[in-house]
Amino acid sequence: MAEQLTALSIMQDAPVIPVIVLRDVNHAVSMAKALVAGGIRVLEVTLRTPQGLASIEAIAKSVPEAIVGAGTVRNPADARAAAAAGARFAVSPGYTTSVGEACREARLPLLPGVATSSEIMQAQQDGFNELKFFPALQAGGINMLKAWQGPFAEVRFCPTGGITPTNAPEFLALKNVVCVGGSWLVPTDTLERGDWEHITLLAREAAALPRKSV
């Protein structure tokens, strides 16, 4: 039986959630196996491409040790389609109550995207305390997260957008950051070459990043 997941347990699994954009379904399974081999098993496959849902389905069927979720969930239809494809969690770039309700109905733990205090308050009103801060760098970065520690002390964040191996440790050192989201684990050129060993190496380095809050 699959383990029971919550948004917090998903965030706690590893320091980095890879943000994955796939344009070839044939890459999905090998890529997922490479990430899992490096210690990263929570995988956010975005719905930014037509191949997103099929890639989620392929990973869900063929890489059971991975925890595959859908990113760029923007409406209830996206949530339902993701759940039908086998996604086990959802990540949204922003937040609406309708997306939150659809994910609950589909039993998908949701990491809603927020960029302002008002959006945090709306998400909290709907019962969400684990949030994606997006786009992190453009929306205020480290200083914004520090400012939120006062009024939103109970909220835990996954900053995403502009996070790199260089600045990730600074974000992970904050007490209200549990993990970060990053696209650097699955570079486009590495995918196209099928260099799975390099992806495993990147995953291993990401999994070893220290963090303050778990």
Side-chain angles (χ1 to χ4, degrees):
M1 175 182 267
E3 63 194 283
Q4 187 62 41
L5 298 173
T6 65
L8 184 58
S9 71
I10 287 161
M11 294 168 74
Q12 290 173 329
D13 203 74
V16 183
I17 297 176
V19 179
I20 302 161
V21 180
L22 288 170
R23 294 181 171 81
D24 187 342
V25 178
N26 293 319
H27 290 153
V29 170
S30 295
M31 175 218 64
K33 288 180 177 177
L35 288 166
V36 170
I40 299 291
R41 63 177 190 148
V42 172
L43 315 180
E44 177 192 338
V45 177
T46 71
L47 303 185
R48 299 178 194 175
T49 67
Q51 294 79 20
L53 285 171
S55 297
I56 290 168
E57 186 172 8
I59 294 168
K61 286 181 177 177
S62 300
V63 194
E65 59 271 36
I67 299 171
V68 63
T72 324
V73 172
R74 298 187 302 168
N75 52 57
D78 283 345
R80 290 189 289 268
R88 298 182 59 196
F89 67 94
V91 184
S92 58
Y95 179 70
T96 64
T97 294
S98 62
V99 166
E101 289 175 348
C103 286
R104 281 208 174 96
E105 288 171 6
R107 297 187 178 181
L108 286 179
L110 173 66
L111 274 178
V114 299
T116 67
S117 296
S118 295
E119 291 166 345
I120 294 173
M121 290 168 65
Q122 181 62 58
Q124 283 197 291
Q125 182 173 300
D126 290 351
F128 297 95
N129 284 311
E130 289 79 38
L131 308 175
K132 167 184 172 178
F133 177 34
F134 177 81
L137 251 58
Q138 295 86 341
I142 295 284
N143 289 334
M144 182 67 85
L145 287 162
K146 287 180 177 177
W148 280 339
Q149 287 176 357
F152 302 113
E154 70 281 12
V155 178
R156 295 293 174 264
F157 293 98
C158 173
T160 306
I163 310 298
T164 68
T166 303
N167 63 21
E170 190 178 1
F171 281 91
L172 291 166
L174 298 176
K175 64 182 180 181
N176 57 350
V177 170
V178 179
C179 66
V180 299
S183 58
W184 80 85
L185 279 75
V186 186
T188 300
D189 59 340
T190 305
L191 265 181
E192 290 173 353
R193 290 197 311 270
D195 189 349
W196 312 124
E197 288 183 5
H198 184 58
I199 288 177
T200 294
L201 175 63
L202 294 173
R204 191 171 292 125
E205 291 171 348
L209 287 170
R211 50 181 167 171
K212 187 176 184 69
S213 176
V214 290

